[in-house]
Amino acid sequence: MTDVEPYDRGVAMAFENYALYPQMTVMENMMSPLRSKRYRVPQAEARERVQKAADTLGIGHLMERFPRELSNGQRQRVALGRVLVRPADVLLLDEPLSHLDAKLQMEMRAELKSLGEMQSTTSLYVTHDYREALALGERVGILREGVLLQVGTGEEIWKRPADSFVARALGQPEINLISGAVVESSGGKVFRSEDSQIELPLSGAQEVTSGYEVELGMRPIDLEISSGEAPPGNLTLRGRVYVVERLGREFEITVSVGKNQVVVVTNRGEVGLDDLVEISLPPSKLHLFDKRSGRRIEMRQNMGAAKRG
C-alpha cells in the first residue's frame, strides 16, 4: 500500500496513544473522519452514527466533554469509536488496551470481541498480551524481530508451537523448558536432563538420534501434583517444593527436580514448603524442541510410563 494515497487505502487505525484532538469534544473527535471529502455524510447521519457507536462503547453520556476531562479508559473508547464510525476494509488496532488497568482491560476485551462479531471488517490487532491474542484472534500470528514464526488458530499454536520462542510467548507462567539430550536405554529412546535427574520416555520421537541435544517443554497448567498414584499412562517426576504462591483460587508451585525448577499451576493448596511431591502430565502434553534451532520436534503419542527422577 506504500504507493496508494491514504484516502484510497480503506484503512482505519486506532493508535496506542489515542491521538485525540485536545481542542475537540468527544462528539467532534468521533465525527472527524466523517468530515473528510471521501467519507462526508449529512450532519444528522454523522451524529446518529457517532451516537450509536458511543452507546455501544458505553460513552454516550460523555459526548460534550473534552479529552482532558476523560479517564484513560474513556479516551481509549473514544479512539476506538472514531475508528468504528467510518467505513473501512481493514481496521488496524495498535495495542489499544495497553494503558488500561487490569479490570478495564478485561471489560474492553469483551467489548472488542462483541464489536468484532457485529462487524464483517477484517481487523489486525497488535498486542504483547497472549490472553488478548487468544481471546480476540480468529487467527494468531507470532512475530519475532520482524519474522513471522507461526500463524494459526489459538488452539493450534497453543498445542503445537512451531518453536520454543512461540511456546514461551503463550502462557503465564511460561512453559517449563528443561535442557538435556536423547539417549538410548533398554526401553528405547529417553530424554535425560543435563544433571541426569530427569528421565522420560521419547519413543515417539523418530527423527532424533542418541546424543541429540533437545529441550523438553511442559506447560505449568498441564502438570498435576499427584495424591497417591498418578493417573495411568501419565509421565511422572519427583521433587521437593521450593516456593508456593497463592494466586486467587490457584497456586503457583515451584518444585526442585534435581538442578531444575518446574513450575506447576494447581488449585491444591495443601502442599507446603520442602514437601516431597510427585508431579505428572499426559504424554500428549509433552513438547520437544531442538536445543540449537528451537524448532519443534514432532512425536507420536505412544509413549509408555516414565522412569522417576
Side-chain angles (χ1 to χ4, degrees), residues 95-165:
E95 297 193 72
L97 309 184
S98 60
H99 296 300
L100 308 184
D101 59 53
K103 183 175 182 296
L104 192 53
Q105 282 184 0
M106 292 179 61
E107 294 175 358
M108 287 300 295
R109 275 205 301 269
E111 289 188 13
L112 286 174
K113 183 73 172 178
S114 176
L115 289 170
E117 292 172 351
M118 289 166 54
Q119 297 193 355
S120 58
T121 307
T122 299
S123 300
L124 297 180
Y125 189 105
V126 177
T127 179
H128 289 89
D129 188 335
Y130 80 95
R131 293 166 298 184
E132 287 183 12
L134 296 180
L136 299 174
E138 294 182 6
R139 292 181 65 77
V140 179
I142 307 293
L143 284 161
R144 183 184 188 184
E145 297 179 354
V147 177
L148 190 60
L149 300 180
Q150 186 174 2
V151 179
T153 64
E155 184 177 10
E156 289 169 349
I157 293 178
W158 179 269
K159 291 183 175 179
R160 299 182 65 253
D163 61 21
S164 56
F165 179 88

Side-chain angles (χ1 to χ4, degrees), residues 10-21:
V11 174
M13 182 168 183
F15 297 91
E16 180 181 357
N17 62 354
Y18 318 139
L20 300 178
Y21 299 109

Side-chain angles (χ1 to χ4, degrees), residues 222-246:
D222 292 333
L223 296 169
E224 298 179 7
I225 293 185
S226 304
S227 55
E229 290 296 321
N234 270 20
L235 307 176
T236 59
L237 298 168
R238 281 180 180 166
R240 189 176 295 274
V241 175
Y242 180 67
V243 174
V244 177
E245 297 178 83
R246 187 182 187 102

Side-chain angles (χ1 to χ4, degrees), residues 154-202:
E155 184 177 10
E156 289 169 349
I157 293 178
W158 179 269
K159 291 183 175 179
R160 299 182 65 253
D163 61 21
S164 56
F165 179 88
V166 174
R168 288 194 303 269
L170 302 183
Q172 183 62 38
E174 286 186 359
I175 188 171
N176 297 292
L177 290 175
I178 300 173
S179 297
V182 176
V183 299
E184 295 285 348
S185 72
S186 58
K189 294 175 183 175
V190 299
F191 166 85
R192 186 172 292 161
S193 64
E194 292 179 341
D195 64 357
S196 301
Q197 295 296 309
I198 298 177
E199 191 169 294
L200 295 173
L202 294 175

